Amino acid sequence: MTDTTPFSPEKCSRLIVKIGSALLVDPAGAVRRDWLEGVVADVAARVRAGQQVAIVSSGAIALGARRLGLPKGGRASLEDAQAAAATGQIALSHCWAELLAAEGLTAAQMLVTLDDLEDRRRYLNAAATLDRLLALGVVPILNENDSVATAEIRFGDNDRLAARVAQAAGAQGVILLSDIDGLYTANPGVDPTATLIPQVGAVDARIMAMADAGSASGMGSGGMISKLEAARIAQSAGCRLAIVSGKVDRPLSRYAETARGTVFEAPRAATARKAWLAGRLTARGRLVVDAGAAQALADGRSLLAPGVKGVEGRFARGDVIEIVTAEGVLLARGLSEYDAADATRIAGLRKDAASEALGYAPRSAMVHRDHMVQL
């Protein structure tokens, strides 16, 4: 069931605000301080009204690149990006702490990696830290730890990070401040007939087809595709997400007045474990299933061995795996009841044959419905 009441971010007890590099840093690589002071004033007003706010802030690489004189905004190589991030993050954190302190607020810094939120135990630790900081009235400033992230193991954009932070924090809303004021039917920079879509339900193939992967500024790492992927993650946690223009002064106040943007509605939240599974960006392997198994999953049933036609990857029992069709369509994500070797032995087999192949009585399912989330 989807909540159809209008989205009012100021009414969320917990709100996550994401700010991209193109908004926070000017083309010369300096902080747009006047604009940022307006954002901080908006945040301070929300906190004084009793709201808990966390901020996901980009900008470290852009700031560090300027200080180090690195080409291409610090993105010429992974090593340059890591050095720029390490240099720029301290300047970025200082700026946030100084401006929030001027409003009587305390800032905290949290740098996270993809693994911090993909590993269940580390995810719970991060969630506990966020919860305590917000309960104390602190404004956490989060960013991906780009100084140690690699090309293979990283979020790659702060849109998806913001959605995962919202999940961990138990937030009710996410605002992505962007250089565009929402999702359009086509790229408005190319198609003059493109129109703004004020409200979106499920992020399906039709919605994804409207996205443009580019970042208009050249400074950021995301685009509309990353924002739609963030919306999917937020929706899995029952959290609404809005794409809003940040190219105005006091953007949070402006959005409260005009409601101009795109809101992605959310159904009722899944259980905490299933929301974590749905929001994951990585998996250890895949089970390829036939049409009968796909229908069983759609009916809310567990995945049984006879419906599995292929096993991919190297995984252990309890690892997160994806369940896909023969065409590669992602159906679900869950915790495997078998390691990859045993899963391969019993794929396609019924109970008696599976017992003989394994040498022991097989478990009730390859992936149990209680440890699975449909996507």
Side-chain angles (χ1 to χ4, degrees):
M1 181 177 179
T2 300
D3 185 358
T4 57
T5 58
F7 178 44
S8 300
E10 66 275 8
K11 294 181 181 179
C12 298
S13 58
R14 282 187 175 176
L15 179 70
I16 310 301
V17 179
K18 180 263 179 178
I19 300 172
S21 297
L23 297 174
L24 193 142
V25 181
D26 67 24
V31 173
R32 298 178 60 225
R33 193 178 179 91
D34 290 346
W35 178 86
L36 191 56
E37 285 176 351
V39 174
V40 169
D42 279 347
V43 170
R46 297 282 177 88
V47 174
R48 285 193 286 268
Q51 190 174 43
Q52 297 174 347
V53 181
I55 296 168
V56 175
S57 175
S58 304
I61 292 177
L63 288 174
R66 180 200 187 199
R67 285 159 173 74
L68 297 175
L70 296 173
K72 298 183 179 180
R75 298 183 184 274
S77 67
L78 175 61
E79 291 77 12
D80 277 3
Q82 290 173 327
T87 305
Q89 188 61 50
I90 193 167
L92 181 64
S93 299
H94 176 77
C95 187
W96 276 111
E98 181 183 5
L99 294 179
L100 286 165
E103 293 282 356
L105 297 175
T106 300
Q109 176 180 268
M110 287 185 67
L111 297 179
V112 297
T113 64
L114 178 64
D115 281 347
D116 290 328
L117 299 183
E118 298 285 90
D119 178 88
R120 182 67 176 165
R121 181 174 294 179
R122 287 156 68 181
Y123 172 89
L124 293 174
N125 288 339
T129 301
L130 266 173
D131 182 70
R132 185 58 179 150
L133 287 170
L134 290 166
L136 289 169
V138 173
V139 179
I141 310 297
L142 298 101
N143 196 2
E144 182 164 15
N145 193 351
D146 288 309
S147 63
V148 298
T150 67
E152 295 82 13
I153 308 174
R154 60 177 303 168
F155 281 95
D157 63 79
N158 274 353
D159 297 317
R160 293 184 296 178
L161 174 59
R164 283 294 257 168
V165 167
Q167 228 175 30
Q172 295 76 44
V174 179
I175 292 182
L176 304 180
L177 293 181
S178 175
D179 53 7
I180 190 170
D181 55 356
L183 175 66
Y184 282 74
T185 54
N187 186 336
V190 176
D191 185 350
T193 67
T195 57
L196 179 69
I197 303 172
Q199 194 171 35
V200 175
V203 181
D204 54 21
R206 180 182 62 88
I207 295 298
M208 291 298 295
M210 298 176 186
D212 186 325
S215 173
S217 68
M219 258 190 287
S221 54
M224 189 54 67
I225 288 176
S226 74
K227 291 171 176 53
L228 296 184
E229 291 172 346
R232 278 180 169 169
I233 295 169
Q235 287 177 327
S236 70
C239 179
R240 285 164 153 178
L241 180 144
I243 301 173
V244 176
S245 174
K247 297 178 72 173
V248 294
D249 292 333
R250 303 291 294 266
L252 298 181
S253 295
R254 182 72 65 88
Y255 179 61
E257 295 165 0
T258 66
R260 181 172 177 80
T262 298
V263 174
F264 294 82
E265 300 298 343
R268 184 173 297 170
T271 63
R273 179 185 286 270
K274 289 193 174 186
W276 171 74
L277 282 170
R280 283 180 62 96
L281 302 177
T282 61
R284 294 288 187 180
R286 283 182 157 193
L287 299 181
V288 182
V289 301
D290 61 20
Q295 184 58 55
L297 296 182
D299 293 339
R301 289 148 63 187
S302 300
L303 176 63
L304 305 182
V308 177
K309 299 306 177 186
V311 178
E312 301 173 3
R314 299 174 62 183
F315 53 89
R317 184 186 179 199
D319 280 347
V320 176
I321 57 173
E322 295 178 337
I323 303 170
V324 302
T325 67
E327 295 73 32
V329 176
L330 180 61
L331 300 175
R333 190 176 288 127
L335 304 180
S336 178
E337 293 289 341
Y338 294 92
D339 62 27
D342 281 353
T344 300
R345 289 188 183 97
I346 65 172
L349 301 182
R350 298 197 175 276
K351 187 173 182 179
D352 289 346
S355 179
E356 184 176 343
L358 291 171
Y360 61 85
R363 300 182 182 90
S364 61
M366 294 278 271
V367 181
H368 196 278
R369 64 182 182 180
D370 290 346
H371 306 298
M372 181 199 311
V373 61
Q374 295 186 49
L375 300 170

